[in-house]
Amino acid sequence: MRDAIAKRNKLVTVQTPTETTTSGETSLSWSTLLREWAAIVPLTSREYSFASQRNADVTHRIIMPYRSGITSACRIVWNSRVFELAEPPRNIDEENHTLEFVVTEVVD
């Protein structure tokens, strides 16, 4: 975990969903909540095996500084890659210092 915290070398965008209704049709769009430096860590085979017992598609962990307002409805984007949160963000040691996200990469 400490290595991941040290390697916050990817500038990610945390996005929040916004639903709009036009002519009776609802559409979903994404707006930027914040941008932050983060570590994106692919799960090891052992971690993947454990995570798949809870959520079959979990592929990565993302570590970033603590920020309030991020919910499991948000998503994280890095370059053209999109990661959906598989579970609510985890406040490491409940110290409001570091957040950990267990995510699924969206592959089109």
Side-chain angles (χ1 to χ4, degrees):
M1 173 75 82
R2 294 201 188 283
D3 290 340
I5 291 172
K7 293 182 181 180
R8 292 181 184 159
N9 59 358
K10 296 176 176 56
L11 186 58
V12 301
T13 302
V14 178
Q15 297 179 329
T16 186
T18 304
E19 286 188 2
T20 55
T21 303
T22 306
S23 301
E25 291 189 28
T26 301
S27 64
L28 180 68
S29 61
W30 294 91
S31 56
T32 298
L33 179 64
L34 60 94
R35 291 176 54 91
E36 185 61 71
W37 291 99
I40 300 176
V41 183
L43 296 182
T44 65
S45 59
R46 182 177 176 186
E47 290 172 321
Y48 182 81
S49 176
F50 177 74
S52 67
Q53 294 172 8
R54 295 183 302 172
N55 186 323
D57 299 324
V58 170
T59 58
H60 294 75
R61 283 184 303 127
I62 297 178
I63 316 293
M64 63 184 275
Y66 177 86
R67 298 290 182 261
S68 63
I70 302 173
T71 68
S72 55
C74 294
R75 72 179 188 179
I76 298 174
V77 178
W78 176 63
N79 291 339
S80 61
R81 296 170 70 181
V82 177
F83 300 92
E84 293 180 343
L85 279 59
E87 43 190 68
R90 195 179 104 185
N91 182 358
I92 303 297
D93 297 328
E94 300 297 323
E95 293 180 348
N96 295 348
H97 185 265
T98 303
L99 287 176
E100 177 185 51
F101 304 90
V102 177
V103 298
T104 300
E105 184 168 7
V106 177
V107 180
D108 290 331

